[in-house]
Amino acid sequence: MKVEINVPDSLKEITLDQYQRFEKLNTEENKESTFLLQKMVEIFCNLNLKDVANIKYKSVQEIVVHLNKIFDQKHSLTPTFTLGNVEYGFIPVLDDMSLGEFIDLDENLGKWGNMHKAMSVLYRPVKFKKDKKYNIEDYKGMNDRLKYMPLDIVFGAMVFFYHLSNELTQTILNYLQKELPKNLTIQQKERLAQSGAGISQSMVLLKEMLPSLTRLPNLMSTNV
């Protein structure tokens, strides 16, 4: 039986949703299993699981080698991109982020299951654009619109935030010291006072995650 396989040529052809589905299965229990190998090919090549079993073993090896190569790339920030018919832009000035944006980013950045929510804080529809300058929509809360954004853009944003971790943390701390509303409850003040530390913890998670972004699990010999 012949199976038509569409292997992605770059991370631009893999969505955040696909990686989230794969990462959910990438547990210690499944790490060395053939099940994870099958799911890798199924998810990233958009196949049915039953069809994966009909692929030649040598072909599966070649697919795994290829997937590892496209993950083994440097990632840089992408300021704007188009998804569907909507152009999205990265927050132009981080210092202009609101307290609500800081909190939502803190709670979701570094957690793969919620990464699309973190991306919806960072990337929003572009309202106006001229040359390389642009304005984005005001923040209206997290949403699921970016679950299908290209994975290379997600990785680029994560790397960008990791390298700016110290600057970002200090910005948050300064903001909290100056802008905390006086009418907050004790519980709210305690939560907000910990936001700077929360972002720092997110950066620690990113530091742990970044090495794994460049490669997929070595589930089989790659000597083909």
Side-chain angles (χ1 to χ4, degrees):
M1 177 180 177
K2 291 185 178 181
V3 178
E4 184 176 345
I5 308 172
N6 295 313
V7 183
D9 291 324
S10 71
L11 293 186
K12 295 181 185 296
E13 299 177 26
I14 295 177
T15 67
L16 172 56
D17 176 70
Q18 286 176 296
Y19 193 78
Q20 286 176 314
R21 286 189 282 132
F22 174 76
E23 187 63 26
K24 188 176 182 180
L25 299 171
N26 188 17
T27 62
E28 193 64 32
E29 180 181 350
N30 290 332
K31 195 171 183 180
E32 303 296 333
S33 69
T34 56
F35 169 74
L36 187 59
L37 172 68
Q38 292 175 314
K39 294 298 291 186
M40 180 193 301
V41 177
E42 174 201 13
I43 292 172
F44 294 136
C45 298
N46 290 308
L47 294 170
N48 292 320
L49 188 59
K50 63 180 181 179
D51 291 331
V52 176
N54 293 317
I55 302 174
K56 291 181 180 180
Y57 179 73
K58 182 178 180 180
S59 297
V60 172
Q61 285 184 304
E62 293 172 346
I63 292 173
V64 171
V65 171
H66 176 76
L67 289 174
N68 272 282
K69 285 182 179 179
I70 67 174
F71 271 79
D72 187 15
Q73 300 172 352
K74 292 183 179 180
H75 311 288
S76 58
L77 181 68
T78 300
T80 62
F81 71 96
T82 300
L83 182 64
N85 296 320
V86 180
E87 184 175 21
Y88 291 87
F90 190 84
I91 296 177
V93 183
L94 290 176
D95 286 349
D96 289 344
M97 290 179 71
S98 69
L99 188 58
E101 291 170 277
F102 278 136
I103 292 173
D104 287 346
L105 188 61
D106 168 29
E107 293 180 347
N108 295 282
L109 189 66
K111 301 174 184 177
W112 275 116
N114 294 338
M115 194 62 74
H116 59 286
K117 295 181 179 180
M119 290 299 116
S120 73
V121 178
L122 298 177
Y123 284 98
R124 299 201 288 278
V126 173
K127 296 192 301 183
F128 172 80
K129 185 177 182 181
K130 183 176 182 181
D131 299 325
K132 293 184 178 181
K133 295 183 178 181
Y134 58 88
N135 290 324
I136 59 176
E137 290 184 356
D138 294 336
Y139 187 58
K140 300 175 183 177
M142 297 176 293
N143 57 71
D144 297 336
R145 290 183 295 188
L146 296 182
K147 281 185 70 70
Y148 302 101
M149 67 186 292
L151 190 59
D152 66 312
I153 297 176
V154 178
F155 285 0
M158 293 173 66
V159 172
F160 176 80
F161 261 86
Y162 170 67
H163 290 307
L164 285 184
S165 59
N166 292 333
E167 180 181 338
L168 178 61
T169 300
Q170 190 58 51
T171 297
I172 294 171
L173 293 175
N174 291 341
Y175 182 92
L176 291 174
Q177 291 174 359
K178 295 177 181 179
E179 303 296 335
L180 276 179
K182 296 180 180 180
N183 61 344
L184 291 179
T185 65
I186 294 176
Q187 291 80 5
Q188 288 174 321
K189 288 181 179 179
E190 289 177 349
R191 181 187 180 195
L192 296 178
Q194 295 173 353
S195 292
I199 288 289
S200 295
Q201 293 171 357
S202 295
M203 294 308 158
V204 172
L205 287 175
L206 285 182
K207 184 177 180 180
E208 295 174 350
M209 293 167 64
L210 286 177
S212 65
L213 296 182
T214 62
R215 62 183 64 84
L216 296 175
N218 185 19
L219 299 177
M220 56 165 47
S221 170
T222 56
N223 296 321
V224 297

